[in-house]
Amino acid sequence: MGIALESTAGGMETYKDRMNHLRRMAVIASSGRVPEIFHNVFPYLALGQYSLNFSYIWPDVTKQLGLLAAANQQLFWNAVWGLLQRFNDERLLIETGPTPEAKKWLNSCAEARAAESELTASPKIDGHAIECPNLARFNRVFSAELLRLANVDGSGLQNLAIATNCPDLNRVDYANVQKQLMTMLAEIGAAAAEAHSKPVVQAFLAFIRYDFGWTSSFFTKHEGTELGLDVDLTGVYAVEHRGLLTERGRRIDETRCILWLKLISKFRNPQQLPRAPTLYSLFLRMITRGDNEMQRHALGCLLAWRQSGVHPYAENLRNLVDEKRFRDEIKTFDLAVNGQSINIVHREQLMPILLRVLHGQMMVRNGKASRKDGMRIRRAVILNAM
């Protein structure tokens, strides 16, 4: 079935055939009827589907991997985290062979050259054929070498030919693969990630420290305190090799950060995580960011702590980071000490979060109106409420 899956071309015409093979393999792998030597076949084949430039198949792949995660959490985690760790040192992502599209290009070049050498007639002068033996020998050797080149996997000359003539065909969108893996892990693998929290927290903190520049100063500020890092993250994150294969940029890093937050917000007991005080302080800082989506997911991480003084107001806090519900909520949620909305006993835990959320909302920019009067009006509404 694995060979049949990989032999099926990617596209809408063959989508059902491809998914049928994957579903059968998911059922067999989830039932535990696979010999130990073949345990990794299904998860690796399934994860490989995220590298296809065919987004229609990705939700179904996630669904089938969910069956494996429910049946064999350790097998699922080993496959997914083993692949995600490669993005911490991008040298490990380099493939030894060409993509199917590049292979197809090589074969077409070899076939065209062979057909050309067969059809080319010998030149004639006065009706007599004249053929240069050296040129004929060169053509035969060149055609034979081109055919051999197209059929030898992992050849250095093969990779050189592809890189020189059609680099776009041999390109895997690693940034998108990482995004799909993180999205899938947040959807179906939060329990597995929480059970292996130590490497997850280390990877998240390494990303924040070395890639997400907006919060990197946090570590400098708290160096030597209980919130600082007393572990060396360079072994977790190969900083010098960033950007070899994955794109870098502020928007891309923000998307990765949101996916990390989405994953951690699904944890059931974040208080038990390694470096829990550091994580909590980071999330407090992130909710001050003028970005509704990042605020929403960072707030979700804080609410996962289920503090007695914060949890009763979870819906109010979520409404404040929702653009559609913000105005109604800010008008009805009374922040006064003697108001009816907040219990005086809860203010000590709630107000540090609430004030940071409002600070972030004062910085939010949405649409053209935010460059004119929208931002001024929003700030006036928040300051009036405070």
Side-chain angles (χ1 to χ4, degrees):
M1 279 185 287
I3 295 175
L5 172 67
E6 288 299 296
S7 301
T8 306
M12 289 301 298
E13 300 82 3
T14 58
Y15 162 73
K16 289 186 177 180
D17 294 335
R18 198 175 191 88
M19 283 312 305
N20 285 337
H21 294 311
L22 202 62
R23 290 187 187 110
R24 293 192 192 103
M25 294 182 69
V27 170
I28 295 173
S30 302
S31 67
R33 292 178 293 165
V34 180
E36 185 175 355
I37 193 174
F38 296 122
H39 274 181
N40 291 322
V41 172
F42 167 69
Y44 286 158
L45 284 175
L47 293 173
Q49 307 308 305
Y50 290 122
S51 64
L52 296 177
N53 188 21
F54 185 48
S55 60
Y56 196 69
I57 200 175
W58 297 337
D60 284 329
V61 173
T62 298
K63 183 178 179 181
Q64 302 310 314
L65 283 168
L67 297 177
L68 178 65
N72 193 334
Q73 187 183 93
Q74 189 61 46
L75 177 61
F76 166 82
W77 175 254
N78 290 341
V80 175
W81 190 249
L83 183 55
L84 273 173
Q85 279 186 309
R86 290 173 174 262
F87 288 90
N88 294 337
D89 186 349
E90 295 184 15
R91 294 172 299 176
L92 302 176
L93 292 172
I94 298 174
E95 302 292 345
T96 57
T99 61
E101 292 80 8
K103 188 78 172 178
K104 188 182 298 182
W105 173 83
L106 264 181
N107 289 331
S108 65
C109 289
E111 292 170 0
R113 180 66 186 181
E116 181 183 347
S117 61
E118 292 177 359
L119 296 175
T120 303
S122 301
K124 295 183 178 181
I125 296 180
D126 297 332
H128 299 284
I130 299 177
E131 182 177 11
C132 175
N134 293 328
L135 179 60
R137 188 180 302 110
F138 171 81
N139 285 334
R140 286 195 301 272
V141 172
F142 182 80
S143 299
E145 286 299 308
L146 190 58
L147 283 171
R148 186 183 68 83
L149 187 65
N151 292 305
V152 177
D153 290 330
S155 166
L157 289 175
Q158 184 184 75
N159 294 333
L160 178 62
I162 293 171
T164 303
N165 296 281
C166 58
D168 291 338
L169 292 180
N170 205 39
R171 179 179 177 272
V172 176
D173 191 352
Y174 289 103
N176 182 67
V177 173
Q178 185 181 22
K179 178 182 176 181
Q180 297 306 321
L181 288 173
M182 289 296 300
T183 302
M184 177 269 295
L185 193 60
E187 288 182 11
I188 64 173
E194 188 171 7
H196 302 81
S197 57
K198 183 176 180 179
V200 172
V201 170
Q202 284 187 340
F204 171 67
L205 291 177
F207 165 77
I208 293 295
R209 182 169 190 172
Y210 298 120
D211 273 349
F212 199 56
W214 183 74
T215 54
S216 60
S217 60
F218 172 88
F219 299 100
T220 304
K221 178 180 178 181
H222 295 286
E223 188 174 359
T225 70
E226 63 174 3
L227 299 182
L229 291 180
D230 54 4
V231 293
D232 183 13
L233 296 177
T234 55
V236 179
Y237 210 68
V239 183
E240 66 275 13
H241 300 299
R242 289 177 300 170
L244 285 177
L245 296 173
T246 58
E247 298 180 20
R248 318 302 308 176
R250 183 174 62 86
R251 291 293 183 187
I252 294 175
D253 289 339
E254 285 179 353
T255 300
R256 289 174 184 161
C257 183
I258 288 171
L259 290 173
W260 274 112
L261 295 176
K262 187 177 179 181
L263 171 64
I264 297 174
S265 68
K266 301 285 184 68
F267 288 179
R268 294 179 179 272
N269 296 298
Q271 304 93 327
Q272 306 301 321
L273 294 176
R275 314 297 308 179
T278 301
L279 292 173
Y280 190 85
S281 297
L282 273 173
F283 299 147
L284 280 177
R285 178 163 182 165
M286 288 180 179
I287 59 174
T288 65
R289 185 73 179 267
D291 182 322
N292 276 329
E293 190 173 10
M294 184 169 295
Q295 270 197 311
R296 184 168 66 253
H297 291 293
L299 178 62
C301 294
L302 292 172
L303 293 177
W305 256 257
R306 296 184 177 275
Q307 295 170 294
S308 59
V310 177
H311 191 64
Y313 310 95
E315 192 62 30
N316 304 101
L317 293 170
R318 290 191 180 100
N319 290 341
L320 289 174
V321 296
D322 187 326
E323 189 63 29
K324 295 180 180 179
R325 301 177 181 178
F326 170 77
R327 287 187 178 276
D328 293 335
E329 187 63 40
I330 197 68
K331 290 177 182 177
T332 58
F333 194 44
D334 189 0
L335 309 184
V337 177
N338 56 354
Q340 301 298 315
S341 299
I342 304 175
N343 190 320
I344 190 68
V345 179
H346 298 156
R347 294 185 71 86
E348 183 178 358
Q349 290 184 339
L350 177 64
M351 295 311 290
I353 295 177
L354 179 57
L355 293 178
R356 284 173 169 83
V357 168
L358 293 177
H359 175 273
Q361 285 299 306
M362 292 176 69
M363 303 295 125
V364 168
R365 297 175 178 271
N366 286 318
K368 293 182 179 180
S370 66
R371 296 196 293 267
K372 298 179 182 178
D373 298 328
M375 200 168 182
R376 178 180 58 80
I377 296 172
R378 175 185 288 266
R379 289 179 175 179
V381 169
I382 294 173
L383 291 174
N384 182 61
M386 295 173 64

